[in-house]
Amino acid sequence: MYKRFVIFAFLIFAAITLTTSAKAAEKNGFARLDHVTASKALPNGIEVRSGEATLVVTALREDVLRVRISATSELGEDASWAVLDEARKSQVAVKAANSEDAVGFTTAKLRVTIKRNPLEMTITDLDGHVISADLPGRPVEFHAGEFRAYKTSPPDEHYFGLGDKPGPLDRRNEAFSDWNTDAFGWQETTDPIYKSIPFFITFNKGVSAGVFLDNTWRASFDFNKEYRDGYSFGSVGGALDYYVFLGPEPKQVVETWAWLTGKTPLPPMWSLGFQQSRYSYYPEAEARRIASRLRAERIPVDVMYFDIDYQVHNRPFTVDAERFPHFDQLISDLKAQNIRTVLITDLHLAYLPNAGYKPYDEGAAGDHFIKNADGSTYVGVVWPGKAVFPDFTDKSARDWWGTLYKDFVSRGIAGFWNDMNEPAIFEVASKTMPDDVQHRINEPGFAKRVANQLEIHNVYGMENSRGTYEGLLKISPDTRPFVLTRASYAGGQRYAATWSGDNSATWNHLRQTTPQLINLGLSGFAMTGADVGGFARSPQPALLTRWLQVAAFHPIDRDHSANDTFQQEPWENGTQHDVALRREAIEERYRLLPYIYTVAEEMSRTGLPMMRPLFLEFPRGAADGGPLDGTDSNSFMLGDKLLIADSPYPDTPDTYAVALPSVGWYDYWTGATVGASGGRKAIDNTIVKQEEVKITPNPDVLPVYVKAGSIVPEQPLIQSTMEKPVGPLTLRVYPPVKAGGECSGSLYLDDGVSFAFQKGEYLRVSFTCSVGADGVTVKVSPREGKFAPWWSEFAVEIYGAMGEAKSAQTAKGALQTSFDSEHHRTRAVVADDGSGMELKVNY
């Protein structure tokens, strides 16, 4: 009895001591959510208290949860630069699910369970698959404004996303910081670099989920570095406000991310053409020489970029009349050559009081510039020398910034490039603004207040590109803006395309490009590219050739180099054989534009990236049910039909293996079936998950495969999207190799530049095919939409053919066919009147 009394007394004493210590810790800026002291059911979730700390979990949709945690009873301002208002304010009713040991709720797809003591939250699907679970023994902690959350990490869980972080595609066993940084010459281990996108995808045994920490302060993510069986995320300030959402398919996670933060708008078609750039093309005669050489060499191109040297002393929104004495005529002449222009317009405006510099004078008069802590205007040194910076968190300043583009738009400039917007500052060790500069937030949905650089730094570049995008829309309401930004935050895909920044002309940087662009696409930035050939230093001829071959299948294909490097236009730095290979790669991109543009339109509707990891299309493709994309993979999908499989070490001659999901594949270049599944036989996909194809590298040929059951539209070669193709639209038909396998394709088309498609001025056509005992049938649906196509005939090419066709016919009669044994295809030309057609080819 005495022993029981002592134990009971000790427990009471311990409880009092812990409670007193916890309260003292909270007063000293420390709080830990270690046990539930109170809970309250909400119509759309639950509120839990742990001493003074608060946890609120709400359901935005049946598959989307928002988790807000605070060290006090106040959750802070309910506003977001990233999450769309309609998504953030969405809610569904939940069903409470409480027990003696736990509290929580369920939706139609998710279950939230919060253990009372110790406080540990677990989120599962209704089948019990864990989506997110607190790491035992590591409750959420707050330390003087900083916080960290710890989650369990099963040994076979994979992580993807976080934007353009260098390193492997899979983030497991890696750690990262979010702090937008001017990272010239970054390498594979450099972190942080230009963008902060605190969103990642979890993938465990075929089930995917998304996690987004909506915090703009300097944040960090640790995947299995500190704890082998755990990952964590945290920040030095701001709110602990995160979202968890279920796929379970990876595509569903990406589409939900787009629902939450917005989609990439449909880009102008010309931005999908080849783009030529350099720092810099000047004087005017040099720019004309480059344009004329591109046309003389018959290298298709749509865009030329002008870097800072077109400006007077690097001052944004000026033109150097000495270097470009006929600037307006130059822009007009380039357009006459079917070449559009994109100008760099950095955000650092020259500090020139009383000098007649319009951007400074207007900005100062409108009080639009960032302030120091003492209220004076902040001045930093960048390309123009002393410079001032618009406060893009103030809507009026953003609106004013947008007006600065009116003159350039009236001169015929097609797009704009917002660089240096981390923001980058010279002559200081931090490479950016002081922590205490003042941003005066004046934004719908936010409380009007002053915030410092620590809070706003990571969204500054995004709001810069937003000001540009929205300004261009006001200037030309029926023209799709093209904005390219270097720095951004989650949701920035709504306003701008991006690229991987100042990379280097090395084979490793070519190799790094694939995982970097894939993770950007998974993070919402679907319109992405890299500086083809490398920005810093000069590429070997073979490297430039290979890079141009690979980039022909990237969303953005832009050759760009620094001013202290050798010229690296496609005709430079190599033999005539190299030039021919580079030209052929760019030409193939232009032939594929109907397919590429169709994929871009899908991106704008769904949020699915154009450039995809294999696991996005084949989530259970690997033998163990995990993702096919390993650390040594350099493969990616363009849309859902093309697989590009460059060597994981492209500068070596070593044979390498490509894991092909067991759906059947064709060689894009030869039309031959590939691998053991190439023959027309049934494959049990539940047993045979994948097969490996061995490839011996050939510098002349980039391995590209087409998924069996695909129909890929192509057009005759053009030199610019301003040209009208001449001839039939080609339908490349790759019949399924599995018995009863599906076969489909589609095409989307509009005028490529305006918003008329929103009023029905578009064309949409779908295609199907089927394989019978005696041949292949191809069907084309009637046209949808009011846009008239450029073609009047289809050239139907059926691949995998073993010989001449016996006959071919449509409802209108028999057709002549031709057989190309080199490419294993049968070809027939069919008239297209828009009403649809059915072609039967018998063998």
Side-chain angles (χ1 to χ4, degrees):
M1 183 71 180
Y2 176 76
K3 185 177 181 180
R4 290 181 182 175
F5 174 78
V6 170
I7 293 174
F8 181 69
F10 173 78
L11 291 174
I12 292 175
F13 173 77
I16 294 172
T17 302
L18 286 172
T19 302
T20 304
S21 298
K23 289 182 177 179
E26 288 161 6
K27 290 179 179 179
N28 291 324
F30 172 80
R32 173 183 289 149
L33 277 73
D34 52 11
H35 65 287
V36 175
T37 57
S39 66
K40 179 175 67 174
L42 303 174
N44 62 330
I46 190 169
E47 178 180 319
V48 169
R49 299 294 294 273
S50 179
E52 294 295 317
T54 306
L55 162 67
V56 176
V57 186
T58 53
L60 280 62
R61 295 191 334 197
E62 306 287 2
D63 56 348
V64 181
L65 303 176
R66 184 183 183 188
V67 182
R68 303 177 72 192
I69 306 176
S70 172
T72 69
S73 60
E74 299 296 326
L75 291 175
E77 184 179 8
D78 187 3
S80 176
W81 297 102
V83 180
L84 300 173
D85 277 351
E86 55 267 34
R88 188 168 49 83
K89 295 176 181 177
S90 177
Q91 57 179 288
V92 296
V94 304
K95 183 178 180 180
N98 300 327
S99 68
E100 182 178 346
D101 299 325
V103 296
F105 63 86
T106 62
T107 73
K109 294 185 178 180
L110 294 172
R111 180 183 303 276
V112 177
T113 303
I114 304 171
K115 288 176 60 177
R116 296 181 186 272
N117 193 8
L119 193 162
E120 292 174 1
M121 180 171 67
T122 301
I123 301 169
T124 69
D125 63 19
L126 298 189
D127 293 328
H129 189 103
V130 175
I131 305 304
S132 171
D134 290 347
L135 184 64
R138 287 312 313 253
V140 173
E141 293 183 352
F142 291 85
H143 298 264
E146 299 186 12
F147 63 80
R148 193 147 208 92
Y150 298 83
K151 303 293 180 181
T152 59
S153 176
D156 49 2
E157 188 160 85
H158 307 268
Y159 307 99
F160 306 94
L162 292 181
D164 60 349
K165 300 294 188 186
L169 179 65
D170 191 346
R171 304 306 193 186
R172 192 177 181 95
N173 298 317
E174 303 287 335
F176 304 94
S177 297
D178 272 358
W179 184 253
N180 292 359
T181 301
D182 178 6
F184 171 79
W186 58 266
Q187 296 302 317
E188 195 166 4
T189 58
T190 303
D191 183 70
I193 57 172
Y194 305 99
K195 285 170 278 292
S196 295
I197 309 175
F199 163 71
F200 58 92
I201 297 172
T202 66
F203 189 106
N204 185 13
K205 295 182 179 178
V207 176
S208 289
V211 179
F212 170 48
L213 173 62
D214 192 5
N215 181 289
T216 63
W217 297 62
R218 183 191 290 268
S220 61
F221 299 81
D222 183 304
F223 297 98
N224 317 102
K225 286 281 194 181
E226 183 179 6
Y227 294 101
R228 184 181 62 178
D229 57 351
Y231 70 83
S232 66
F233 51 84
S235 177
V236 300
L240 175 46
D241 184 356
Y242 69 95
Y243 297 77
V244 178
F245 40 97
L246 172 67
E249 299 294 323
K251 277 188 176 181
Q252 292 170 299
V253 174
V254 175
E255 289 173 335
T256 299
W257 175 237
W259 173 81
L260 199 66
T261 62
K263 305 178 183 73
T264 299
L266 182 62
M269 186 184 291
W270 57 262
S271 67
L272 300 172
F274 180 62
Q275 306 181 13
Q276 186 62 59
S277 182
R278 182 171 171 82
Y279 168 33
S280 290
Y281 289 133
Y282 74 93
E284 181 179 314
E286 174 65 2
R288 290 182 180 277
R289 183 187 74 83
I290 295 296
S292 296
R293 186 69 183 270
L294 282 162
R295 290 296 175 228
E297 293 282 352
R298 299 293 293 170
I299 294 172
V301 66
D302 264 82
V303 186
M304 276 187 63
Y305 281 69
F306 289 85
D307 211 318
I308 59 175
D309 291 301
Y310 78 88
Q311 302 167 143
V312 178
H313 302 302
N314 301 328
R315 298 167 186 167
F317 300 99
T318 65
V319 175
D320 188 330
E322 292 186 8
R323 289 177 171 176
F324 291 86
H326 313 98
F327 183 77
D328 290 356
Q329 188 62 48
L330 170 65
I331 303 305
S332 178
D333 290 347
L334 290 176
K335 192 169 184 179
Q337 293 175 276
N338 291 336
I339 298 175
R340 288 178 167 89
T341 47
V342 171
L343 299 185
I344 199 169
T345 51
D346 290 335
L347 48 72
H348 42 247
L349 302 175
Y351 177 62
L352 291 173
N354 307 312
Y357 177 47
K358 178 182 175 183
Y360 176 83
D361 292 343
E362 288 186 354
D367 194 24
H368 293 315
F369 299 138
I370 290 173
K371 304 290 187 181
N372 289 307
D374 63 4
S376 60
T377 298
Y378 168 72
V379 179
V381 176
V382 208
W383 290 121
K386 290 184 177 181
V388 292
F389 302 80
D391 187 352
F392 295 109
T393 62
D394 183 343
K395 184 179 183 303
S396 64
R398 262 196 337 267
D399 290 346
W400 162 74
W401 169 265
T403 67
L404 296 177
Y405 290 92
K406 185 175 182 180
D407 178 58
F408 278 151
V409 171
S410 69
R411 294 165 127 178
I413 306 302
F416 298 93
W417 172 16
N418 293 158
D419 201 356
M420 306 293 289
N421 53 357
E422 290 72 31
I425 306 294
F426 296 165
E427 300 181 4
V428 291
S430 69
K431 297 185 178 181
T432 195
M433 295 178 181
D435 293 346
D436 62 352
V437 298
Q438 304 294 291
H439 298 265
R440 294 162 290 168
I441 297 176
N442 185 11
E443 171 71 15
F446 285 78
K448 192 172 182 179
R449 59 186 175 87
V450 174
N452 64 27
Q453 175 72 182
L454 292 173
E455 178 182 350
I456 299 303
H457 177 87
N458 283 341
V459 294
Y460 188 69
M462 178 175 80
E463 294 305 294
N464 167 221
S465 62
R466 177 184 181 181
T468 304
Y469 180 84
E470 292 176 345
L472 294 175
L473 275 179
K474 290 178 182 178
I475 294 166
S476 301
D478 198 36
T479 300
R480 296 175 222 171
F482 177 77
V483 181
L484 186 72
T485 187
R486 191 168 75 177
S488 198
Y489 181 70
Q493 68 271 7
R494 303 191 294 259
Y495 315 117
T498 193
W499 85 108
S500 57
D502 294 340
N503 60 2
S504 301
T506 68
W507 287 98
N508 196 46
H509 270 254
L510 170 58
R511 178 176 181 263
Q512 177 61 44
T513 296
T514 293
Q516 200 168 19
L517 298 189
I518 286 176
N519 273 319
L520 271 168
L522 293 174
S523 304
F525 283 84
M527 275 292 287
T528 60
D531 285 345
V532 175
F535 180 74
R537 308 189 70 81
S538 303
Q540 301 170 27
L543 172 59
L544 179 57
T545 299
R546 194 51 148 194
W547 211 320
L548 283 164
Q549 290 172 327
V550 175
F553 297 92
H554 286 167
I556 294 177
D557 186 6
R558 183 179 79 139
D559 180 346
H560 183 56
S561 56
N563 58 358
D564 57 352
T565 65
F566 295 151
Q567 297 282 142
Q568 66 180 48
E569 293 75 29
W571 61 84
E572 298 282 0
N573 191 15
T575 65
Q576 284 303 307
H577 182 66
D578 288 313
V579 175
L581 291 174
R582 297 165 187 172
R583 181 187 296 110
E584 289 167 5
I586 298 169
E587 288 176 343
E588 198 61 35
R589 181 180 182 88
Y590 275 77
R591 292 189 183 96
L592 264 175
L593 275 177
Y595 174 74
I596 294 173
Y597 194 59
T598 300
V599 173
E601 192 273 337
E602 180 190 29
M603 165 196 74
S604 70
R605 281 187 294 107
T606 67
L608 291 175
M610 300 174 67
M611 184 175 173
R612 304 172 184 177
L614 272 64
F615 75 77
L616 204 65
E617 293 298 327
F618 307 100
R620 282 164 290 280
D624 64 355
L628 278 165
D629 317 76
T631 56
D632 284 339
S633 172
N634 212 15
S635 300
F636 64 91
M637 302 284 293
L638 177 60
D640 65 346
K641 294 176 171 42
L642 300 185
L643 191 160
I644 293 82
D646 195 14
S647 168
Y649 300 95
D651 55 333
T652 69
D654 302 308
T655 297
Y656 62 98
V658 175
L660 296 177
S662 62
V663 293
W665 297 88
Y666 292 79
D667 186 302
Y668 177 79
W669 307 111
T670 68
T673 52
V674 176
S677 62
R680 291 205 180 102
K681 60 182 181 181
I683 298 176
D684 186 349
N685 195 44
T686 63
I687 299 173
V688 181
K689 290 289 185 180
Q690 68 184 69
E691 59 179 291
E692 286 191 344
V693 175
K694 298 289 187 179
I695 298 176
T696 300
N698 180 348
D700 290 359
V701 180
L702 174 70
V704 179
Y705 303 106
V706 188
K707 183 178 68 176
S710 297
I711 301 177
V712 179
E714 288 193 352
Q715 68 185 16
L717 179 62
I718 53 176
Q719 295 295 305
S720 165
T721 60
M722 291 191 203
E723 293 183 15
K724 179 180 178 181
V726 177
L729 177 77
T730 298
L731 302 181
R732 297 179 64 158
V733 180
Y734 299 89
V737 297
K738 296 170 61 176
E742 296 181 354
C743 178
S744 64
S746 63
L747 179 138
Y748 174 85
L749 187 64
D750 55 32
D751 65 21
V753 292
S754 78
F755 290 99
F757 67 91
Q758 296 176 345
K759 302 174 183 178
E761 291 292 335
Y762 65 87
L763 170 68
R764 195 184 302 277
V765 184
S766 58
F767 320 110
T768 61
C769 81
S770 59
V771 178
D774 57 351
V776 177
T777 300
V778 179
K779 295 181 180 180
V780 178
S781 71
R783 296 175 191 164
E784 298 177 32
K786 297 183 290 186
F787 187 75
W790 48 262
W791 66 85
S792 59
E793 294 178 315
F794 294 123
V796 181
E797 296 180 349
I798 300 175
Y799 287 82
M802 303 302 177
E804 297 278 359
K806 293 179 180 178
S807 63
Q809 62 181 30
T810 67
K812 295 183 179 180
L815 296 172
Q816 292 292 320
T817 65
S818 60
F819 175 63
D820 178 352
S821 60
E822 181 182 358
H823 295 94
H824 310 278
R825 67 188 175 201
T826 299
R827 188 174 193 266
V829 178
V830 185
D832 174 33
D833 62 6
S835 62
M837 71 91 183
E838 180 175 316
L839 169 67
K840 178 67 181 293
V841 178
N842 295 311
Y843 290 98

